[in-house]
């Protein structure tokens, strides 16, 4: 099977099919898989699951797919690609979602769309045509189910005249692979792109007793911190059950918690949730289970 796209959908489905015994090749046009996620988190996934795949071809695009007797003939384009002509039984396209807003008469309303083709809305999810609201994928990224349902609540409250706004500090994203990758708030990659000065403290799961007893010590929990205020700006987790751990981090960011707040919150032992506390402790050089001198 050829899977086009190494975003979360492509990687989730590639993992499922590979686990069932399908020989999977993944093609991704960006320099790395899981674009947007921090590379140290991605490495946790790559190390464990990477060998399951025939090949992961980055900086590669699909030029053509042609059906020939009994096979799909695929032409790839990418640098250092030895063999751009391949044959597959199946091709799974996991890229190219776009807003479906044609043919519903929007042009007869006051609704405005953005230059990227999304429906423009205000903080109450109200369009420029004030009787019309829009929520979910058509209002733009992140295109996630929990973002859509949260927006829907805000829209209903706003329409009822209540003082409601969609203005989150952090929206969690989870890749449901094994290990899971989850993050919320500011990523280290984003901070670098924006030239923003941040401190990053991390806790490797090799030092987590719970991860050891689960046989899943490959994980990593990291916290992105404002060096001046010590506020938690973002959290990334790679490891089993990362999706179950990320809401605590989301709450911390929404409540403007500092690294000290997290470090001083008593977490049950032995749990994977301690890795968040210990990453925050590591910022101060005070993690019980790893020696990390204070970095600032
Ligand atoms: C393979 C895949 C896996 C995903 N996994 C996750 C995940 O694990 N977690 C997560 O948070 N998100 C996930 N997503 C994204 C998530 O599905 C979307 O963000 C979410 O469904 C957006 O909700 P929505 O209401 O905006 O749009 P949709 O869920 O797409 O709902 C829009 C509905 O409107 C209908 N519709 C469209 N036009 C018309 C019309 N003219 N008249 C009547 N009905 C119409 C459509 O048929 C559709 O049912 C995944 C997406 C895909 C494709």
């Amino acid at each position: 099977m050829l899977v086009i796209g190494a975003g979360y959908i492509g990687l989730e489905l590639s993992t499922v099919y590979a686990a069932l015994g399908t020989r999977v090749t993944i093609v991704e046009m960006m320099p790395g898989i899981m674009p947007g996620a921090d590379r140290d988190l991605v490495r946790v996934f790559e190390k464990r699951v990477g060998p399951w795949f025939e090949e992961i071809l980055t900086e590669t695009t699909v030029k053509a797919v042609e059906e020939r007797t009994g096979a799909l003939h695929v032409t790839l384009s990418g640098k250092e690609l030895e063999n751009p002509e391949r044959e597959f039984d199946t091709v799974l396209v996991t890229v190219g979602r776009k807003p479906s807003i044609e043919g519903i008469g929007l042009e007869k309303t006051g609704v405005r769309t953005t230059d990227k083709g999304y429906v423009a809305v205000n903080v109450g999810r109200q369009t420029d045509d004030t009787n019309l609201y829009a929520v979910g994928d058509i209002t733009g990224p992140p295109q996630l189910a929990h973002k859509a349902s949260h927006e829907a609540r805000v829209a209903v409250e706003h329409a009822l005249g209540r003082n409601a706004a969609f203005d989150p500090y952090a929206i969690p994203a989870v890749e449901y692979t094994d290990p899971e990758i989850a993050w919320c708030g500011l990523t280290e990659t984003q901070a670098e792109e924006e030239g923003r000065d941040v401190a990053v403290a991390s806790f490797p799961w090799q030092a987590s007793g719970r991860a050891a007893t689960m046989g899943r010590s490959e994980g990593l929990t990291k916290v992105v911190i404002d060096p001046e205020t010590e506020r938690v700006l973002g959290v990334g987790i790679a490891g089993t059950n990362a999706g179950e751990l990320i809401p605590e981090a989301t709450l911390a960011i929404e409540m403007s918690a500092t690294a000290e707040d997290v470090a001083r919150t008593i977490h049950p032992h032995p749990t994977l949730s301690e890795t968040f506390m210990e990453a925050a402790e590591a910022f101060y050089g005070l993690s019980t289970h790893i020696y990390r001198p204070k970095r600032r």
Side-chain angles (χ1 to χ4, degrees):
M1 173 186 281
L2 174 69
V3 176
I4 304 176
Y8 76 91
I9 295 171
L11 292 175
E12 285 172 2
L13 293 174
S14 297
T15 309
V16 170
Y17 279 103
L20 291 170
T22 305
R23 293 168 57 205
V24 176
T25 293
I26 306 171
V27 165
E28 167 59 52
M29 65 187 276
M30 300 299 281
I33 62 170
M34 231 182 279
D38 283 346
R39 294 301 95 187
D40 47 1
L41 301 176
V42 175
R43 272 194 294 278
V44 174
F45 169 84
E46 279 175 329
K47 213 167 154 190
R48 184 179 168 91
V49 184
W52 293 13
F53 306 120
E54 293 292 302
E55 275 182 296
I56 301 177
L57 303 169
T58 52
E59 291 184 273
T60 303
T61 53
V62 175
K63 288 287 160 208
V65 180
E66 199 185 317
E67 200 167 0
R68 293 186 192 163
T69 43
L72 294 169
H73 187 88
V74 177
T75 308
L76 302 173
S77 167
K79 61 173 191 185
E80 293 168 27
L81 202 60
E82 272 179 23
N83 175 18
E85 308 289 326
R86 314 277 177 106
E87 286 201 339
F88 296 92
D89 294 327
T90 311
V91 175
L92 177 61
V93 182
T94 72
V95 294
R97 280 198 286 159
K98 59 181 173 54
S100 171
I101 51 174
E102 282 89 39
I104 54 172
L106 275 191
E107 64 285 352
K108 295 183 196 136
T109 71
V111 170
R112 183 173 53 86
T113 53
T114 67
D115 51 358
K116 295 212 164 105
Y118 297 114
V119 173
V121 286
N122 64 17
V123 286
R125 305 290 98 171
Q126 187 181 37
T127 68
D128 284 5
D129 194 323
T130 54
N131 284 323
L132 295 172
Y133 285 74
V135 300
D137 287 358
I138 55 164
T139 65
Q143 292 175 317
L144 294 167
H146 43 278
K147 177 249 187 191
S149 51
H150 188 84
E151 281 183 297
R153 276 187 218 105
V154 169
V156 171
E157 287 183 25
H158 192 274
L160 289 171
R162 295 186 194 144
N163 190 16
F166 182 81
D167 191 17
Y169 282 136
I171 300 174
V174 183
E175 185 182 295
Y176 297 94
T177 45
D178 184 19
E180 293 181 352
I181 313 282
W183 66 92
C184 64
L186 186 73
T187 65
E188 192 178 355
T189 310
Q190 262 175 319
E192 275 163 19
E193 285 166 2
E194 292 168 14
R196 193 165 168 180
D197 184 27
V198 291
V200 178
S202 52
F203 183 81
W205 288 22
Q206 288 102 321
S208 157
R210 183 54 184 251
T213 59
M214 295 168 81
R216 298 303 302 265
S217 299
E218 75 273 8
L220 178 76
T221 299
K222 65 188 282 189
V223 186
V224 179
I225 299 160
D226 184 317
E228 299 304 321
T229 62
E230 299 190 353
R231 249 181 75 179
V232 177
L233 301 175
V235 175
I237 307 174
T240 193
N241 282 336
E244 305 297 331
L245 301 173
I246 205 69
E248 184 194 353
T250 313
L251 181 66
I253 295 170
E254 286 293 348
M255 297 287 111
S256 303
T258 61
E260 187 178 358
D261 291 327
V262 177
R264 290 187 186 274
T265 300
I266 300 173
H267 285 65
H269 176 77
T271 60
L272 297 174
S273 72
E274 286 173 296
T275 65
F276 181 35
M277 175 187 72
E278 294 226 33
E281 286 176 333
F283 173 66
Y284 300 103
L286 292 174
S287 162
T288 308
H289 294 96
I290 47 162
Y291 173 67
R292 289 273 159 84
K294 190 176 186 319
R295 287 169 59 183
R296 285 172 178 267

